[in-house]
Amino acid sequence: MEETYDKLVERLGEVQDIAAAAGVLGWDQRTKMPAAGAQARADQLSTLTRLVYERFTSDEVGSMLEKLGPWGESLEYGSVEASVIRVARRDYDKARRVPIDLRAEMARAGALGEPVWREARTTSDFALFLPHLEYAVELKKRYIECFQPVDEPYDALLDDFEPGVKTAEVRAVFDELKAGLVPLVAAIAERVDAVDDSALTGDFPVAQQEQVEGTILRAFGFSDDEWRVDETAHPFASKGGPQDVRLTTHHRDQNLTSLFACMHEFGHGLYEYQVDRSLYRTPLGRGASLGVHESQSRMWENMVGRSLPFWEHFFPLVRDAFPAQVNGLDAEAFYRAVNRVRPSLIRIHADEITYNLHIILRFELEQDLVGDRLAPADASEAWDAKIEEYLGIDVPDVADGVLQDMHWSGGAIGYFPTYALGNVISGQLWERMQRELPDLTGQMRNAEFGELRAWLAEHVHCYGRTYMPRELLEREVGGGLDPQPLLRYLNEKFGAIYGLNGA
Amino acid sequence: MEETYDKLVERLGEVQDIAAAAGVLGWDQRTKMPAAGAQARADQLSTLTRLVYERFTSDEVGSMLEKLGPWGESLEYGSVEASVIRVARRDYDKARRVPIDLRAEMARAGALGEPVWREARTTSDFALFLPHLEYAVELKKRYIECFQPVDEPYDALLDDFEPGVKTAEVRAVFDELKAGLVPLVAAIAERVDAVDDSALTGDFPVAQQEQVEGTILRAFGFSDDEWRVDETAHPFASKGGPQDVRLTTHHRDQNLTSLFACMHEFGHGLYEYQVDRSLYRTPLGRGASLGVHESQSRMWENMVGRSLPFWEHFFPLVRDAFPAQVNGLDAEAFYRAVNRVRPSLIRIHADEITYNLHIILRFELEQDLVGDRLAPADASEAWDAKIEEYLGIDVPDVADGVLQDMHWSGGAIGYFPTYALGNVISGQLWERMQRELPDLTGQMRNAEFGELRAWLAEHVHCYGRTYMPRELLEREVGGGLDPQPLLRYLNEKFGAIYGLNGA
């Protein structure tokens, strides 16, 4: 049995090598590749992707998994061997359900849809993009058919990003979250002048930004021999290997969005960096899900990087880097400024509170689209209505409305909810951490992040994909998805900033 | 038949995609990868290399080639179809002759040998490296056995880098070259003070170097949407795709070696860039051989970048970038400085003349090593004797003698002669070009390189691997390898610089 297992692991390792190579090519494409290299890169990625698929879904892998199944179940559930067999089996069954032609058509439609979306957004022309949206939804429905029976259609999509989590569960969590957030947003709206963030727009030379970012990332745990950070259009994090973590950011010389992007991507990078080395080249060697991943990025960006103790330490760094710009502010005023809440049209610029509402509306629309309750042609109107309902603002333009995100153009439907699930999970983990690391605040005030990193390694990161998100939560916070910790955290933090608690 | 051909081309295209992906990973490893990423990168490259080999040497490819052989021979020799079949057949037969175990052992020995060589060079300890050299030679002899019968053992090694060229032919060419160079070096040695290059050592801030390099590369034909240039330890050029050309260089702030490295690598890059687009994803889609490649890099570095008309145009750029350093020089004095000839120990720092002697001595030693006429244990002594004979200098230290080059540590024996063959070929092409582009000197004086690029595209680059080096020379200069044009060029150029012609 061990021999078959070794053979399986070698085959899976080879698949991981090819996937990792494709990952480096993807990183290169978005950071270094000369623009005209796009066609050849598409050929290379298409070949590597096909190889990964062919070699993983081969009958040979299937029969090894078949043979190993009972043995795997006889082993300790969390052992590497049992988990490799279990997770590979689940991946294998999912991969085999989808005909290669449908996969290829989805990839093709996504590649064709993206430039059209780009043009449609530039020209604010929803009608131009509509046929592509219709086809993307159509393809997703065919994809869902491969996974019947499902409780509801959206389950099949969500499972690709948040394995084992059901739509009904997310809906309940989001309804509860929405019920808590909408009144908070309304209360803040009445005290909107309590926070002044005018110092955050102006003159921030990129060279100084890079110096500030470097200091903060190094304090977090970044080091040159295992990490790097590069410029890109839409920031992401990527892993070339267990000790090769690559963050990206996008500098603008009129604000500090890049600094927060760096801290966000650091959270993703640290997760990947701290996956146990014994899981390298196995299907377990990366984060458990997009939601758990996002819990890490949002934690470093918001719970650390937008906290008062953090800025009590690092404000002098920013003040010295941009003396004219933040002249006259102190650490607390700067902390308040980076936490200003303001309902706005664009998700990626949204604050820590309203961000969740942007996600919830997309989650609701996506369910309606694939559930045939909303025609793609009516998506823009439905979007605008929800923005009005949740955020109280008008959408003047489809470019800032239904066309703002790239996701649907590439066929990524079912992906959005993971962003807000990440916030929910970060709240649950953060609350437990407060109990277990009572000095966390003091440590952040001293720019000491070692215990925080170690806690996250031990309780979340080391496992990689050993446990599904639900199992991980069960083990680490003793329950399922629960928005209350996030709501408590947001109410406490923003209640203090906006003076709501005593109101 | 066309159907089989299309199938073959698709399979070969897939192989090219994987090889190109490995190429990008190799570029990344040497320019961007965090140091600690080395282990994972080795796994990825080993898997991709194995895939390339497996998919190319499969029985399926063999039977397609078998079936297509007569059809290919019925087509025009230089047509894409005939050439794809012919070149793939040759590659296939060579690849199938070497057992996979020997290939793997050569790769393993090379990977193990390189760090030992590095340490041996640092500590000047030839005995430390000797067992690895012995094993490398031993493996090469086993490799040669796979290709029996050969006229002489070294033929089998040379063919990997200079297909179709025989050792006897190179020996004759090099003997003629040596006979011409040794007296030239001796004559220059008597007038060594005629050239002062002291201005080339001193203070050259890297930022200004980059600006000068950027201006010159752009004049050559570099553009940001299809090319890039990055820092590395040992400069090389690489291609991520037909319109994705990547140069590398290594800056030192005390001299201008990086500028000449940039021009050298541009020559390699331009060759790859100008391979006809119709050869993309076929085995023909890259340079014909290392020697022909080197003819291009040396041409741009030396015949263009160390020419008087070139510096008549670009000297003001250098003077303005480094005013204190080149103060008081004019274009001609600067031209003389960058052409100073000085017998020296280190190949990579050698001038345009003595460089060839460094190569010839390696070529001679390599033949003796694999021909059992020289024991590896005696290689250092033999090295020193030849340096004394050809260059008239003592080798004080093995680090600057037999241990100076990395090549043998990685198992690359048979590679060195291509460097001097490149010089020989560049001489042949340059002489023909003088006739066909009578205004070339005037164009260089105006920094106009379009006609030069076009001539090279039409006569050399466009063909890729369609023709073997011998065939290419036959077509373009009407003969075989001939060192006389290079000797004429060197005698004329350095005769003028050192005042030898009238002497």
Side-chain angles (χ1 to χ4, degrees), chain A residues 115-413:
Chain A
V116 176
W117 162 75
R118 222 171 273 284
E119 195 194 331
R121 194 182 55 163
T122 305
T123 56
S124 286
D125 184 354
F126 182 63
L128 177 64
F129 180 58
L130 182 58
H132 290 270
L133 179 60
E134 283 170 337
Y135 192 48
V137 171
E138 176 55 37
L139 286 172
K140 280 298 172 197
K141 287 196 228 161
R142 281 163 57 191
Y143 183 78
I144 291 164
E145 281 312 304
C146 305
F147 294 93
Q148 291 294 2
V150 287
D151 294 348
E152 48 187 310
Y154 196 79
D155 282 356
L157 307 183
L158 187 59
D159 193 83
D160 284 350
F161 308 109
E162 212 56 30
V165 173
K166 293 294 175 71
T167 311
E169 188 182 356
V170 176
R171 196 158 44 226
V173 168
F174 281 5
D175 283 346
E176 202 178 325
L177 184 62
K178 189 164 65 175
L181 290 179
V182 168
L184 182 58
V185 170
I188 289 172
E190 292 187 10
R191 299 183 54 90
V192 68
D193 296 334
V195 171
D196 176 7
D197 67 350
S198 57
L200 296 181
T201 309
D203 185 22
F204 295 92
V206 170
Q208 273 93 300
Q209 288 190 48
E210 287 174 337
Q211 223 162 350
V212 168
E213 290 160 5
T215 304
I216 290 173
L217 287 175
R218 279 176 173 71
F220 278 3
F222 179 105
S223 72
D224 287 326
D225 65 326
E226 301 187 307
W227 300 65
R228 49 180 296 129
V229 55
D230 294 273
E231 195 74 23
T232 194
H234 301 286
F236 64 97
S238 147
K239 179 161 78 167
Q243 292 169 275
D244 177 357
V245 181
R246 301 175 180 212
L247 315 181
T248 63
T249 188
H250 182 67
H251 288 97
R252 292 175 184 81
D253 61 9
Q254 334 86 315
N255 59 47
L256 291 175
T257 50
S258 169
L259 170 59
F260 292 94
C262 284
M263 296 196 279
H264 181 98
E265 301 307 337
F266 174 81
H268 286 303
L270 184 69
Y271 191 176
E272 292 296 325
Y273 178 73
Q274 297 201 127
V275 169
D276 197 274
R277 295 282 153 81
S278 65
L279 308 183
Y280 169 58
R281 287 185 95 231
T282 78
L284 311 178
R286 60 174 200 272
S289 72
L290 291 191
V292 180
H293 239 297
E294 198 71 8
S295 78
Q296 301 305 297
S297 55
R298 303 288 286 179
M299 184 183 288
W300 286 90
E301 176 190 355
N302 290 327
M303 287 154 172
V304 175
R306 284 193 172 89
S307 74
L308 184 54
F310 175 88
W311 284 113
E312 283 171 350
H313 183 91
F314 283 112
F315 176 68
L317 184 70
V318 167
R319 189 191 53 211
D320 294 350
F322 313 104
Q325 189 61 42
V326 299
N327 189 18
L329 265 59
D330 62 10
E332 202 194 326
F334 190 78
Y335 159 71
R336 294 167 64 83
V338 300
N339 281 295
R340 171 155 179 172
V341 175
R342 182 166 18 195
S344 63
L345 289 169
I346 306 295
R347 173 182 64 86
I348 60 166
H349 299 150
D351 58 77
E352 212 175 336
I353 297 177
T354 60
Y355 189 90
N356 299 291
L357 296 169
H358 284 279
I359 296 307
I360 291 170
L361 85 83
R362 284 158 177 77
F363 170 65
E364 292 169 346
L365 293 180
E366 286 184 341
Q367 290 171 75
D368 289 346
L369 284 168
V370 299
D372 280 333
R373 295 183 298 274
L374 174 65
D378 300 327
S380 183
E381 239 169 274
W383 181 286
D384 297 356
K386 278 187 193 285
I387 286 281
E388 165 66 33
E389 183 187 346
Y390 299 160
L391 295 168
I393 48 180
D394 276 342
V395 178
D397 196 314
V398 284
D400 292 339
V402 71
L403 287 182
Q404 72 180 261
D405 296 304
M406 176 165 48
H407 299 58
W408 293 347
S409 78
I413 300 178

Side-chain angles (χ1 to χ4, degrees), chain B residues 154 158-159 161-175 177 289-298 303 355-356 359-360 363 414-429 469-470 473 480-483 486:
Chain B
Y154 197 79
L158 186 60
D159 192 82
F161 308 109
E162 212 57 31
V165 173
K166 293 295 175 69
T167 311
E169 186 183 358
V170 176
R171 198 159 41 226
V173 168
F174 281 4
D175 283 345
L177 183 60
S289 73
L290 291 191
V292 180
H293 239 297
E294 198 71 8
S295 79
Q296 300 306 295
S297 55
R298 304 288 286 179
M303 287 154 171
Y355 189 92
N356 298 293
I359 296 307
I360 291 171
F363 170 64
Y415 187 119
F416 279 124
T418 66
Y419 291 127
L421 288 178
N423 289 339
V424 167
I425 296 168
S426 72
Q428 296 180 261
L429 292 172
R470 170 193 315 281
L473 281 182
L481 288 163
D482 178 4
L486 177 65

